[in-house]
Amino acid sequence: FAEYIDKRNLFSLNWRYGGKSKRNKQGITEESLEDLFNQWVARVTEEGWLRPQGMLGVFPCYRDGDDVVVLDLSDCKTELCRFDFTTVIGSGKEDTVNGAHYFRAQDSGQLDAIGIQISSAGPDIEAQLEAFKNEGDTESTLYLQGLSDRLAEDMATYLHAKLRDRLGLDAKAGTRWSPGYPGLVNLKNNQLIYDLLDAGGQLGVQITEVGEFHPTGCTAAVASFHPDARYS
């Protein structure tokens, strides 16, 4: 999965090297960061600390107010769960946006489709992070945690692209929302995604009562394929 990693954000944000101007002042070259990246990719591959993985699905659905009702694929009638979207202030503070409104309403006479996805850097990272911490190796802790977080985010982007491909849509069609962030603030929506995809059985990921994933290198999302859908 190394070719899909957003190295720009990995270096500047996850590994905290900052932008190019900051790195230039510190004498940190792009070549040295590339070497560091290749070293860590090789290391986590050999040791098995990270295992890029993910699941996705497309389900029939409809909108009911600010909720999106997900239906069973077998009959397109049985309600499986509801995602409660949150109304947020739109860009420029000129309007409000609610993700549920990009799905067809119940009384429209036609069902819609919702994308469901969950991505993970693998279930085995926590033990190694704890080992680094016990050794006082803060540098390795930062690199491994940062690479894990970046991998989960970039896997999410990869899965979103696969959802669009599956439906034969443009590469930029629609958008996605992750629980805990504006637009879908209720973290318990993670539990709904987790259950819909059987992520525990398939990926070895665990989830707490409040909807937080364990290990932390995991992210989930729902997607609308409406051409006008936007995050804010």
Side-chain angles (χ1 to χ4, degrees), residues 1-2 32-33 37 68 77 80 90 97 104 137 156 162-163 170 174 176 216 220:
F1 195 74
S32 65
L33 291 178
F37 174 74
V68 173
K77 294 180 180 179
L80 297 179
V97 176
R104 291 189 180 96
D137 190 346
K162 290 297 182 183
L163 282 170
D170 182 84
R176 71 179 187 270
T216 56

Side-chain angles (χ1 to χ4, degrees), residues 112-208:
D112 210 329
I114 185 170
I116 309 292
Q117 63 178 70
I118 184 167
S119 61
S120 170
D124 303 322
I125 183 178
E126 295 294 338
Q128 188 55 44
L129 285 173
E130 191 64 27
F132 282 147
K133 292 175 183 177
N134 291 337
E135 296 166 3
D137 190 346
T138 56
E139 185 177 78
S140 293
T141 302
L142 171 65
Y143 289 144
L144 181 57
Q145 182 70 72
L147 185 56
S148 170
D149 293 342
R150 184 75 261 146
L151 193 158
E153 289 295 331
D154 293 337
M155 173 61 81
T157 299
Y158 178 84
L159 291 177
H160 194 183
K162 290 297 182 183
L163 282 170
R164 289 165 168 145
D165 287 345
R166 178 168 291 188
L167 297 180
L169 298 175
D170 182 84
K172 295 184 178 180
T175 193
R176 71 179 187 270
W177 298 264
S178 288
Y181 291 89
L184 199 65
V185 296
N186 188 351
L187 264 179
K188 290 191 175 181
N189 285 304
N190 274 331
Q191 182 73 59
L192 305 181
I193 298 171
Y194 183 87
D195 292 340
L196 283 171
L197 296 178
D198 186 24
Q202 299 293 330
L203 302 181
V205 174
Q206 299 177 345
I207 192 168
T208 68

Side-chain angles (χ1 to χ4, degrees), residues 85 99 102-103 175-179 182-184 220-224 229-231:
F85 282 81
Y102 295 111
F103 296 86
T175 193
R176 71 179 187 270
W177 298 264
S178 288
L184 199 65
V222 299
S224 166
R230 55 194 174 98
Y231 192 84

